[in-house]
Amino acid sequence: MYAHSSESLIKQAREIQESELQKFHSRLGKLLQGKELGHEAVDSLQRLHIILSATKYTRTLPPELHKRVKALLSSPAEQFQVLSSAVLRETLPPSGQELNYNQDNFLQLNSHAAALLLSQAGSRADLSSLCAQLLRSLESRQSEGPANSLTHTLPILNTILTHSPDCLTEDHVTLLSKKLVDWLRYASITQGGGVPSGGFFTGPRSRQPVPTAELDGTVSGDFFTVLCVGQGFTEDQWMNVYSFSMLRHWLLTYHSVSNGNNTADTDDRSEVDGSVVSMVSATSSSSRLLPPKERLREKAFQYCQRLIEQSDRKAHKRTDTDLQKACLVEAVCILDCVCGEDASLVYRTFPCIKALFGRLSSDLSFARVLLPIAQFYLNHGEMAAVDCECVWKLVFGRFPAELFNNQFLAHELLRFLRLNLESLQLRVPQYSHSFPNLLKFLAWDSPAVVDDFVDLLPSLVTAGTAVELLHTLLDLPCLSATLVLQVRSTCLPISEPGGRGLLSLDAFRSQSFRGLFLFLLRGEAGSGDTIDRLSTLHELLAETADWSRVVQCAQTVPVLLHIFFNTVIAVADEKLLAHLVQVMLERSSLLLNIPKYNKEIHRVFSSHLLRLCKLHPSLVVDQSHELLEFAGATAKVYSKEEIYTHVVWVLGEYLSVSCDSRCSVKLITSCFETLEAVLFEITSSAPPPGADCPVPRVVTSLMSALAKLASRSHDLIPRVSLFLSKLRTVTRGGPVAWCSDEEDLVAIVTRGEELWSLLKAPGVAQSVLTPPALVTSPQWHRDTNVAMLLRLRALTNLTHSQ
Amino acid sequence: MVRCFLIHTVCPVSALSSGESRVLYSRVFGPDEGAWSDPDRGLSPEERRLLQKEKITVVARQVRSAVSLSREASGRLLVETVSGEEALALQEADGGVARLRAGDPFSEEMSALWLAVQSLGFTLVCEPHENLLLAEGTLRNLTRHCLETLHMLGPGSEVLLRSNRVDALLSRLLPHGQLLFLNHRFAQSLEKEVAAYLAK
């Protein structure tokens, strides 16, 4: 599909020689001088476009050629309009030929010339004058130009609005509001075009105006909208389509509540709430008395209501059914917008929205339409005192559980959550418990939505659910595998003909393991942190470890864990943090066996274990039992050396009286003995079969930890010193079974010697290995002894000339 | 509004490194946002154009990565279709939407809708509040037209040599980046105009 010829074309275009280019330019210039421009001119212009656009650096045209191409912008043949616009957009005008935005001949501006003006507008002033000209042309109602010369006006205005809403003055806004009202509400309701729908026998007499039809074929009974059809269309019907297409953006730009013009509406809401009668009369009174902006709001409201009604009809064509859904989304969003502006409309709108919800809520194919409805409920539900429970059940319940594999729904739902986070946390009590369901989106399609979860995860971390959330995050790859199995289970037959069934799929379908999978697929938190038979689950899912979806999911877990820990520190008390430390220790050996996954998780655990203990040193004494149990298992030295090293380190560093007064000599001694046993074991024999030699860092951290503990309980010093000197002796005798690298061994022995000499002076050892807090966070300028020295030094440096 | 429409490669290209994408067609709508946003105020028009081109490349690259990850995850085999089987190619196409964070590369957050037909991707970058249902339908329609009028399923470099056809198509179906609510009759009428243009 992608051809080699395209590559060579681009290469040629980029590498064209200057001389060749000049020849081409002059040839093209000559061509364009001719009266009749034919295929050769078209091809040459196209090639010029390739040359200009193939490189990101700007090439300019010689002034003569530039002028000739510019003249083509008003050519009667559209092909030349298109090509000249495309060419000129890829280059810059030579000096003196810049586009003049103050010209009056914009009235004949075609769409392609307008595109050029837009793309090269250099300032707000340029855009403002373009706007002014366009509006003037709208006002003067060109009858000479082609029928669609007006239609591109609205899109151009809309795109200018996006970048610079203040390009339109107050008068312009009023004028356009009036025009929009006319087109939206008062477009003709008869079919345009010249073809009468009569048969062979119809004559001129029966060429009566035929009314437009609805999408299901019935005759339209009300004003024209985008969901009306006809054989041909009149100009104002076209403008109806263009107007509706830009309506939401227009309302968002000029009618938003933060706009200063709405003080009359937003003040004294109590007045609006109290008097229902006055609202009814306000709506039924002639809307012609309303100022243009309010009138537009009212007409927009009516248009949307009509669209909602029209969307209930059964359209004949599939594309029209899709359009109906898109119209529903747009209509609800516009209603949301106008209700935000004028609170009195809420009472008129809610019945309609509620009815729509009732109609669509059971049909999952309308899920994407239900999201704007949920937004409406969120914005106005409280004011109208409507119960929103059923809406949240859908959004947090059915949608993630059943539509997790719908990319677009995932994107829109997560965006909805991101934009309304504060509101949701306030109004939807089950939000923080809905993470098992929401994470299904992530488990299914991690690359597409991980960005959203980076933003959302902090809001899902609460003290009550933190432990369960941690377990769920660690088992996300399992959830991923389960979702794949769930999807496959519904697609594949019960027994595969080839007999090559998946073990995991069989397990998924079998009764005895159902509970495990059902736990993973649960919708809400609160029924338990995790399951007992987690290791069984991991075994059953072992073959899924190389499935792409599972691997992609596993790659996102470390990042989410970092966010989790960073957030949980702020909301957790010591008890919870202690629990989390336990979970980390437990789960470090209980993870789905995906290559690199275990290592990555251990790395995350290590860094956060460190951080937690640094913030709350008493955690170490508190959890000393669990930590010692972990540290005492020699096997961990070989399989989990990253986290093992850190556990040993925190034990050495924080198991002291200065960190927690509960720390007893007995505790220090028992810790010492545990670590001593492990160190002894790993340095006295070769590693077990299948394992590598212990990482040098493990050995040195064990030694350091022992030294630190000994410095706090001096009876232990002789034992350490003995070990260290024995170590030195053994290693002098040549290579050892437990260390394969010469340099590593030297490093270990050096460290051992340092510690040994340090421990010869117990008092010094204590202050070095267990420094008081004052030393570790120095504030030298405050210390009375040290400060004087610093001051003198500073003064000397200042006063002495260099 | 739609900010831009791209046609770019989503397969490995020998002249480029593995993650990169060759942009075959790009159309940015509306005024250049760099013209008055503060950090770029000091830029000359050439620099602005360069910046815009770079932004397009970034979008193409991100979509390329999204496409390859999505295809890898779904594990579906790519079905090769030939000229004449456009409808089938479209049915088999992968689709999705990527979030482009604010600043990466546009100053506001955007949604990049993509449709990957074999080795090429068709991308619409939409502003966040845009009606994505409508955008999705429009993208499908545009892709179908591009596949048909540019004979993209066959060998050949029509995309480059006939970019004016895509321009004309966009000027009708997506004028200046405006998504349109077109029922089948309005769409037919516009498609007739496009067909008339192509006939010349």
Side-chain angles (χ1 to χ4, degrees):
Chain A
M1 208 184 160
Y2 179 60
H4 183 66
S5 50
S6 301
E7 274 299 300
S8 61
L9 253 180
I10 294 176
K11 193 157 179 274
Q12 275 176 23
R14 283 187 182 168
E15 294 172 0
I16 188 168
Q17 296 294 331
E18 193 56 40
S19 52
E20 204 184 320
L21 186 58
Q22 279 178 13
K23 266 192 241 159
F24 178 67
H25 282 165
S26 58
R27 204 170 55 234
L28 180 57
K30 282 206 195 77
L31 259 179
L32 296 179
Q33 272 178 319
K35 277 254 148 67
E36 286 290 315
L37 298 175
H39 284 299
E40 210 189 326
V42 170
D43 281 336
S44 304
L45 278 170
Q46 187 70 72
R47 283 190 188 268
L48 180 60
H49 180 255
I50 297 176
I51 292 171
L52 291 173
S53 62
T55 164
K56 59 188 181 186
Y57 301 107
T58 319
R59 288 193 216 259
T60 49
L61 301 174
E64 262 304 305
L65 183 58
H66 191 100
K67 223 192 295 183
R68 290 198 198 285
V69 176
K70 203 160 135 192
L72 288 177
L73 280 174
S74 39
S75 159
E78 195 183 348
Q79 223 171 5
F80 290 106
Q81 294 172 6
V82 172
L83 279 164
S84 54
S85 176
V87 163
L88 293 174
R89 268 185 278 121
E90 290 295 335
T91 179
L92 292 168
S95 57
Q97 284 195 41
E98 284 91 1
L99 296 163
N100 186 346
Y101 284 81
N102 294 313
Q103 284 172 323
D104 259 331
N105 61 358
F106 285 4
L107 297 175
Q108 276 102 41
L109 207 56
N110 61 58
S111 182
H112 308 288
L116 176 65
L117 282 171
L118 269 178
S119 76
Q120 299 206 318
S123 67
R124 280 212 169 83
D126 289 342
L127 288 181
S128 294
S129 37
L130 182 54
C131 275
Q133 306 285 351
L134 286 168
L135 283 163
R136 219 172 297 161
S137 74
L138 266 182
E139 242 185 321
S140 61
R141 283 163 108 292
Q142 284 287 325
S143 43
E144 300 117 40
N148 53 3
S149 65
L150 269 186
T151 51
H152 66 257
T153 319
L154 288 182
I156 296 176
L157 284 169
N158 199 10
T159 180
I160 294 177
L161 289 188
T162 313
H163 293 92
S164 166
D166 25 277
C167 277
L168 290 190
T169 65
E170 194 60 40
D171 290 335
H172 289 156
V173 172
T174 310
L175 166 69
L176 210 48
S177 302
K178 284 192 195 144
K179 286 246 169 254
L180 287 172
V181 164
D182 277 338
W183 287 320
L184 286 172
R185 184 63 181 79
Y186 301 110
S188 25
I189 49 172
T190 54
Q191 299 192 16
V195 185
S197 48
F200 181 71
F201 291 104
T202 54
R205 268 182 297 126
S206 51
R207 206 166 296 178
Q208 284 174 347
V210 182
T212 53
E214 300 291 330
L215 290 174
D216 58 0
T218 57
V219 172
S220 286
D222 207 343
F223 59 88
F224 186 86
T225 71
V226 295
L227 292 178
C228 294
V229 289
Q231 291 286 4
F233 296 106
T234 61
E235 189 178 288
D236 57 357
Q237 287 169 344
W238 277 105
M239 293 312 282
N240 184 297
V241 172
Y242 284 94
S243 307
F244 179 67
S245 299
M246 74 176 274
L247 183 60
R248 173 148 68 122
H249 191 215
W250 176 268
L251 292 174
L252 282 173
T253 312
Y254 292 112
H255 286 231
S256 58
V257 184
S258 54
N259 211 319
N261 297 341
N262 298 316
T263 44
D265 294 306
T266 53
D267 278 346
D268 293 316
R269 274 220 181 161
S270 52
E271 268 185 43
V272 172
D273 289 5
S275 47
V276 178
V277 177
S278 60
M279 268 186 290
V280 171
S281 61
T283 59
S284 59
S285 68
S286 170
S287 56
R288 272 181 211 284
L289 300 176
L290 293 171
K293 273 175 96 167
E294 281 69 13
R295 202 151 167 251
L296 178 58
R297 196 195 306 152
E298 178 64 32
K299 299 305 173 191
F301 175 79
Q302 290 174 7
Y303 198 102
C304 292
Q305 288 209 306
R306 174 138 160 76
L307 281 182
I308 291 178
E309 175 262 316
Q310 282 177 302
S311 299
D312 204 8
R313 294 165 183 273
K314 192 115 182 42
H316 291 321
K317 296 213 183 256
R318 158 88 190 276
T319 49
D320 287 340
T321 317
D322 293 339
L323 182 69
Q324 283 175 318
K325 277 193 192 155
C327 284
L328 278 175
V329 168
E330 194 78 359
V332 174
C333 291
I334 293 177
L335 287 173
D336 188 16
C337 181
V338 301
C339 285
E341 208 191 343
D342 178 4
S344 65
L345 285 171
V346 175
Y347 298 98
R348 288 168 67 191
T349 321
F350 236 120
C352 167
I353 300 283
K354 257 178 101 171
L356 189 60
F357 179 77
R359 212 171 87 202
L360 304 177
S361 55
S362 49
D363 187 349
L364 283 181
S365 65
F366 282 92
R368 286 170 72 184
V369 179
L370 288 161
L371 283 179
I373 296 180
Q375 180 77 68
F376 189 92
Y377 270 83
L378 188 64
N379 290 347
H380 308 289
E382 201 176 287
M383 196 192 137
V386 172
D387 177 31
C388 308
E389 194 53 43
C390 42
V391 179
W392 306 132
K393 266 219 194 79
L394 263 188
V395 173
F396 293 102
R398 276 194 89 188
F399 286 175
E402 298 180 51
L403 299 174
F404 53 83
N405 51 358
N406 183 329
Q407 267 230 37
F408 289 94
L409 179 71
H411 178 86
E412 290 178 331
L413 196 148
L414 293 171
R415 191 162 167 269
F416 167 71
L417 294 182
R418 273 188 295 122
L419 294 178
N420 297 287
L421 211 45
E422 275 182 39
S423 228
L424 287 169
Q425 283 176 301
L426 267 177
R427 308 245 183 94
V428 184
Q430 70 258 46
Y431 172 71
S432 55
H433 286 255
S434 58
F435 61 81
N437 251 350
L438 292 176
L439 285 170
K440 286 176 187 165
F441 288 126
L442 183 66
W444 182 262
D445 195 356
S446 327
V449 301
V450 64
D451 230 8
D452 291 323
F453 275 94
V454 163
D455 292 337
L456 287 173
L457 191 61
S459 64
L460 292 167
V461 178
T462 64
T465 55
V467 175
E468 191 179 343
L469 180 56
L470 178 56
H471 280 292
T472 312
L473 286 174
L474 292 170
D475 281 324
L476 264 181
C478 297
L479 178 60
S480 185
T482 309
L483 291 175
V484 174
L485 289 171
Q486 188 179 52
V487 169
R488 275 199 204 177
S489 180
T490 47
C491 301
L492 290 177
I494 295 296
S495 59
E496 284 205 333
R500 212 203 115 235
L502 285 171
L503 282 171
S504 47
L505 190 56
D506 292 334
F508 180 75
R509 286 172 171 159
S510 88
Q511 270 306 104
S512 43
F513 299 121
R514 201 88 191 104
L516 302 178
F517 293 104
L518 282 178
F519 178 77
L520 281 181
L521 291 172
R522 71 199 187 285
E524 275 185 356
S527 54
D529 292 337
T530 185
I531 45 180
D532 293 328
R533 297 197 289 161
L534 204 52
S535 48
T536 319
L537 182 66
H538 291 166
E539 270 169 55
L540 292 171
L541 293 175
E543 67 182 348
T544 70
D546 58 356
W547 291 359
S548 324
R549 240 179 247 288
V550 176
V551 172
Q552 284 176 3
C553 179
Q555 287 170 345
T556 61
V557 175
V559 121
L560 293 173
L561 284 178
H562 277 302
I563 297 174
F564 171 81
F565 280 112
N566 290 342
T567 320
V568 89
I569 282 177
V571 301
D573 60 357
E574 275 216 28
K575 192 153 160 266
L576 177 58
L577 290 177
H579 198 167
L580 291 174
V581 169
Q582 273 176 32
V583 172
M584 280 199 274
L585 294 177
E586 233 177 73
R587 292 302 304 260
S588 62
S589 47
L590 202 58
L591 295 168
L592 188 61
N593 194 7
I594 309 170
K596 295 197 222 158
Y597 183 60
N598 280 259
K599 262 208 160 64
E600 284 296 318
I601 301 297
H602 290 173
R603 202 174 296 171
V604 176
F605 278 174
S606 305
S607 78
H608 287 286
L609 178 66
L610 219 56
R611 211 167 140 217
L612 285 183
C613 292
K614 198 165 178 185
L615 279 173
H616 301 270
S618 50
L619 269 177
V620 179
V621 172
D622 207 50
Q623 295 296 302
S624 53
H625 177 79
E626 283 76 15
L627 289 166
L628 281 175
E629 205 180 312
F630 190 90
T634 318
K636 293 203 164 57
V637 170
Y638 301 101
S639 59
K640 300 176 187 22
E641 86 282 340
E642 176 87 27
I643 194 164
Y644 185 83
T645 314
H646 285 77
V647 169
V648 164
W649 193 88
V650 301
L651 279 171
E653 187 76 3
Y654 298 116
L655 199 71
S656 79
V657 173
S658 55
C659 292
D660 189 325
S661 51
R662 293 173 294 171
C663 182
S664 61
V665 170
K666 192 156 154 254
L667 185 58
I668 294 182
T669 313
S670 101
C671 180
F672 183 93
E673 283 171 355
T674 312
L675 297 181
E676 188 190 39
V678 176
L679 185 57
F680 201 70
E681 201 181 323
I682 63 175
T683 55
S684 60
S685 55
D692 292 328
C693 291
V695 176
R697 199 168 63 139
V698 177
V699 181
T700 52
S701 24
L702 277 167
M703 294 193 309
S704 308
L706 288 173
K708 285 177 189 170
L709 292 169
S711 73
R712 289 165 209 155
S713 173
H714 295 190
D715 326 331
L716 300 168
I717 293 185
R719 287 165 75 167
V720 189
S721 304
L722 184 61
F723 174 82
L724 291 172
S725 52
K726 258 201 192 149
L727 185 71
R728 195 171 45 178
T729 325
V730 164
T731 53
R732 280 221 186 104
V736 288
W738 50 271
C739 186
S740 49
D741 192 288
E742 183 67 42
E743 284 181 14
D744 288 343
L745 192 58
V746 168
I748 292 173
V749 172
T750 315
R751 190 88 174 104
E753 282 174 353
E754 286 170 5
L755 291 169
W756 181 77
S757 30
L758 194 58
L759 287 171
K760 280 204 279 197
V764 177
Q766 185 157 21
S767 59
V768 170
L769 296 173
T770 311
L774 200 60
V775 174
T776 46
S777 50
Q779 291 185 296
W780 304 123
H781 59 285
R782 286 208 190 159
D783 183 86
T784 44
N785 297 318
V786 183
M788 182 59 75
L789 283 166
L790 288 175
R791 273 184 234 138
L792 282 175
R793 193 175 296 158
L795 283 171
T796 314
N797 284 339
L798 285 171
T799 52
H800 268 54
S801 47
Q802 290 300 321
Chain B
M1 300 299 292
V2 171
R3 279 297 172 96
C4 60
F5 172 69
L6 313 177
I7 305 179
H8 56 102
T9 58
V10 292
C11 59
V13 174
S14 53
L16 299 171
S17 63
S18 70
E20 289 185 46
S21 169
R22 174 77 72 202
V23 177
L24 296 171
Y25 176 88
S26 75
R27 175 71 202 273
V28 178
F29 297 105
D32 182 7
E33 69 166 3
W36 43 74
S37 50
D38 287 293
D40 302 317
R41 198 157 278 180
L43 294 179
S44 67
E46 287 94 351
E47 286 169 332
R48 285 209 306 267
R49 179 169 177 270
L50 179 60
L51 185 61
Q52 198 177 77
K53 289 274 184 194
E54 298 278 13
K55 285 185 187 176
I56 300 289
T57 319
V58 167
V59 174
R61 213 166 42 221
Q62 292 212 19
V63 172
R64 156 117 176 81
S65 136
V67 171
S68 58
L69 285 168
S70 170
R71 282 179 169 170
E72 197 189 2
S74 68
R76 271 175 37 198
L77 295 164
L78 273 184
V79 177
E80 283 287 325
T81 48
V82 295
S83 246
E85 294 179 335
E86 278 83 16
L88 178 62
L90 201 56
Q91 226 181 347
E92 293 288 313
D94 307 296
V97 53
R99 175 185 167 199
L100 300 173
R101 273 188 180 268
D104 185 21
F106 297 99
S107 53
E108 292 181 292
E109 180 180 317
M110 298 278 161
S111 300
L113 275 81
W114 53 265
L115 204 56
V117 181
Q118 289 166 54
S119 55
L120 290 181
F122 298 80
T123 303
L124 266 186
V125 176
C126 298
E127 280 165 13
H129 65 263
E130 198 54 75
N131 187 325
L132 291 182
L133 260 176
L134 185 64
E136 206 189 326
T138 310
L139 179 59
R140 272 197 178 260
N141 207 11
L142 281 175
T143 307
R144 180 175 59 86
H145 282 286
C146 285
L147 288 176
E148 285 168 4
T149 61
L150 298 173
H151 311 296
M152 289 175 94
L153 292 177
S157 41
E158 302 268 336
V159 188
L160 291 171
L161 292 169
R162 306 253 181 275
S163 66
N164 71 89
R165 292 187 180 182
V166 187
D167 281 338
L169 185 65
L170 288 174
S171 76
R172 297 296 189 297
L173 296 180
L174 196 60
H176 305 281
Q178 174 75 63
L179 288 168
L180 296 174
F181 288 86
L182 300 169
N183 61 48
H184 74 277
R185 281 272 179 227
F186 279 106
Q188 253 171 30
S189 177
L190 288 175
E191 283 164 13
K192 253 194 234 148
E193 281 182 35
V194 174
Y197 175 90
L198 294 173
K200 293 198 202 114

